[in-house]
Amino acid sequence: MAKTGLISETDSSKVAELKKELKFLVKIILEEDQNNECISNSNNSSSLDTIDKAKEVLSSLKEVKLKNSSLVRVNDPSISCPSEFLCPLSKQLFRDPVIISTGQTYDRPFIQKWLKSGHRICPLTQQVLTHSFVTPNFLVREMISQWCKTHGFESPNVVTNINEDGPTEADRDHFVSLLDKMSKSIPEQKAAAKELRLLTKRMPSFRALFRESAESIPRLLKPLTQKTIRFIDPSLHEDLITTILNISIHDNNKKLVAETPMVITLLIDALTYGTPETRSNGAATLFTLSALDSNKTLIGKSGALKSLIDLLDGGHPLAVKDAASAIFNLCIVQENKVRAVREGAVSVILKKIKDGVHVDELLAILAMLSTNQRAIVELGEHGAVPALLKIIKESPCSRNRENCIATIYATCISDRSKLRDLREEERAFGTLSQLARDGTSRAKRKANGILERLNRSLNITHTA
């Protein structure tokens, strides 16, 4: 058995220092013997001290060497390493075992070198690789660790911080072949879409490949444009929309994806006709794309807000939160606030809040929309103030209470008739005074602002 590894930099430095000191001490000992044919007692004592010191240094050197003996390559014929612990490429003990698409295990640095050189077959089986990403083999790694512990060896150092390299030529060839299948039979489309969904989830390099050609995304989505969306195979639809979501995660792809013709239209269709997961991932894609301000405007103009609000109103719980996140992000832009209110966002959001559905996210949207005059009118019409006051009294979340009071403040500034309800609330429960004492800084400002208006209106009444 060959024990493999390297002495650490710290120990290597220590060895060098010990050797240097030992060399110096040995030199003194030899020179003393050569220069003094008759050694006096005092000189003899000094010489013995030097020898003792040299023995100590030699002993320390031995300890360091023994400590790292399992890390230095030595032959030990009495111990046989299991063959499955050796990389087929390096013939050495695995340091970072990974599995490739054929199921074979290799050491990461050696198989990556093989793949980067353009090989598209498994070195051991000669099978064609379906993809070039690798998966850690934790089972083999743990088995090696236990075996080393049993035999008194130090486990091999795991390779860490592997940099994500760009796509290889093999990756590009495979990428093109998958896109080609989008123009073939439905079974081939489904298989290719499933693999692209997996590859773009796990490999940033595959997401980057879509930037290399403006035709890549249209080719990917071709099955969705060949027939009416309602008649697309649900699993194929889901995989293609999810692949677009994966591509959009990469910041450098957001503009490309949003500006590719038909993408936003197909995402809107997904919100309406997809499976619950397809709808959720369609909303999540719009949320991800809306990180760019230019995309916020583009998505808003496309009519996506109506579909997101409809999804928020009647969608599967899986999709509602993603729809809310997308609406919030889009409404940061003023013109999208107007669109959202026009499409009925206020009544839908209030209904969901009263039902206790995703209250945190929806209160944040409501507070944002409350700067719109039409929204304020609708808040009054749908009895928002009592519902929001109830949350202030019952919710332990300071952020929710802050958003509630911000919305109430905007409402009562515009509609003075609401001050009467607030005055009765304050007399009965002291809700506003308590928030003015215990709320966030913004909540305190809004609560105090309302209290000041209540006092002014009361003084005016008394004067009259």
Side-chain angles (χ1 to χ4, degrees):
M1 164 60 192
K3 300 178 184 179
T4 60
L6 296 173
I7 297 177
S8 68
E9 291 184 8
T10 302
D11 287 343
S12 179
S13 176
K14 186 174 182 180
V15 166
E17 291 177 4
L18 290 171
K19 285 182 177 180
K20 184 177 180 181
E21 185 175 2
L22 182 61
K23 183 177 181 180
F24 175 73
L25 293 170
V26 170
K27 181 180 179 181
I28 292 176
I29 294 169
L30 292 175
E31 286 178 352
E32 283 179 345
D33 288 344
Q34 292 171 359
N35 297 333
N36 298 288
E37 295 180 359
C38 295
I39 304 176
S40 65
N41 288 336
S42 60
N43 286 340
N44 186 44
S45 176
S46 175
S47 178
L48 291 174
D49 288 342
T50 304
I51 293 172
D52 286 339
K53 180 62 175 175
K55 287 169 65 178
E56 291 176 8
V57 172
L58 193 60
S59 178
S60 297
L61 183 60
K62 181 180 178 181
E63 287 180 8
V64 176
K65 290 285 188 177
L66 286 173
K67 173 186 173 184
N68 290 282
S69 61
S70 62
L71 297 175
V72 181
R73 191 173 181 81
V74 297
N75 292 321
D76 188 346
S78 65
I79 301 176
S80 177
C81 174
S83 59
E84 58 266 28
F85 293 172
L86 301 179
C87 173
L89 290 175
S90 68
K91 309 301 180 186
Q92 296 176 5
L93 191 66
F94 282 117
R95 295 168 63 84
D96 191 1
V98 293
I99 306 170
I100 62 172
S101 66
T102 60
Q104 300 297 319
T105 297
Y106 297 93
D107 216 358
R108 186 190 294 270
F110 296 94
I111 192 61
Q112 284 187 332
K113 183 177 180 181
W114 170 271
L115 295 172
K116 287 176 185 176
S117 64
H119 293 292
R120 291 291 294 136
I121 60 172
C122 172
L124 199 60
T125 67
Q126 300 300 300
Q127 290 177 267
V128 175
L129 301 177
T130 59
H131 54 74
S132 63
F133 69 84
V134 297
T135 305
N137 192 330
F138 295 110
L139 178 60
V140 169
R141 185 183 298 174
E142 179 61 24
M143 289 170 65
I144 291 174
S145 178
Q146 291 297 324
W147 185 87
C148 289
K149 185 177 180 180
T150 300
H151 291 82
F153 302 147
E154 187 170 328
S155 299
N157 294 327
V158 176
V159 177
T160 57
N161 298 324
I162 297 294
N163 293 326
E164 176 62 40
D165 295 313
T168 64
E169 286 307 312
D171 289 332
R172 289 186 175 88
D173 291 342
H174 186 48
F175 176 69
V176 170
S177 72
L178 290 173
L179 292 182
D180 286 343
K181 291 179 181 178
M182 292 303 164
S183 299
K184 298 183 178 179
S185 67
I186 291 179
E188 288 178 290
Q189 290 175 358
K190 290 174 67 176
K194 181 71 69 179
E195 188 170 353
L196 280 165
R197 174 180 179 171
L198 183 63
L199 289 170
T200 52
K201 176 182 179 181
R202 296 186 177 181
M203 295 182 66
S205 60
F206 254 79
R207 297 174 213 149
L209 281 170
F210 281 89
R211 293 200 304 275
E212 295 186 359
S213 170
E215 294 303 312
S216 295
I217 294 176
R219 289 176 67 192
L220 169 72
L221 297 175
K222 190 170 183 178
L224 302 184
T225 61
Q226 290 177 323
K227 59 178 70 175
T228 304
I229 198 73
R230 303 185 195 193
F231 302 108
I232 297 293
D233 181 278
S235 63
L236 174 60
H237 191 194
E238 181 180 308
D239 287 336
L240 291 176
I241 293 299
T242 306
T243 300
I244 291 295
L245 170 60
N246 294 341
I247 298 168
S248 303
I249 291 171
H250 201 301
D251 286 343
N252 293 333
N253 287 346
K254 296 186 191 302
K255 185 177 177 64
L256 168 69
V257 173
E259 294 183 357
T260 298
M262 294 300 293
V263 167
I264 294 178
T265 299
L266 290 173
L267 289 173
I268 293 172
D269 288 341
L271 300 180
T272 306
Y273 303 112
T275 65
E277 185 169 354
T278 303
R279 295 182 183 195
S280 177
N281 288 342
T285 305
L286 290 171
F287 167 69
T288 301
L289 293 175
S290 65
L292 293 183
D293 287 343
S294 59
N295 286 352
K296 289 183 179 71
T297 301
L298 188 64
I299 294 168
K301 290 179 178 179
S302 72
L305 275 162
K306 183 180 187 312
S307 296
L308 286 168
I309 292 166
D310 289 343
L311 184 61
L312 183 67
D313 186 21
H316 188 280
L318 183 68
V320 169
K321 185 169 184 177
D322 288 310
S325 298
I327 293 169
F328 178 86
N329 234 18
L330 290 169
C331 287
I332 292 173
V333 175
Q334 182 61 36
E335 55 262 35
N336 285 340
K337 289 183 188 179
V338 176
R339 293 186 179 104
V341 173
R342 187 172 61 235
E343 298 296 348
V346 173
S347 61
V348 171
I349 291 171
L350 275 174
K351 174 186 171 185
K352 289 293 180 181
I353 289 174
K354 290 175 182 178
D355 290 341
V357 177
H358 296 299
V359 173
D360 297 5
E361 294 86 351
L362 296 179
L363 282 174
I365 299 174
L366 202 61
M368 183 184 295
L369 295 180
S370 67
T371 59
N372 177 271
Q373 187 59 41
R374 180 170 173 175
I376 291 171
V377 172
E378 292 188 22
L379 286 168
E381 292 174 351
H382 291 91
V385 172
L388 297 176
L389 286 170
K390 185 173 184 291
I391 293 173
I392 291 175
K393 288 184 288 187
E394 297 177 356
S395 175
C397 177
S398 60
R399 184 61 61 189
N400 285 353
R401 297 165 71 202
E402 175 186 311
N403 284 323
C404 284
I405 197 64
T407 304
I408 292 171
Y409 180 82
T411 303
C412 74
I413 286 179
S414 178
D415 185 355
R416 293 176 59 85
S417 67
K418 297 294 181 280
L419 291 175
R420 181 175 56 195
D421 297 334
L422 292 171
R423 184 179 299 109
E424 292 176 1
E425 174 74 23
E426 181 63 15
R427 285 173 178 169
F429 305 103
T431 305
L432 299 173
S433 297
Q434 183 176 349
L435 193 59
R437 292 192 303 271
D438 305 333
T440 64
S441 58
R442 181 181 178 220
K444 289 177 180 178
R445 288 198 307 273
K446 299 298 183 182
N448 280 318
I450 296 173
L451 288 170
E452 289 173 4
R453 285 180 175 272
L454 290 177
N455 290 332
R456 284 203 299 271
S457 65
L458 189 61
N459 289 335
I460 290 172
T461 302
H462 287 165
T463 302

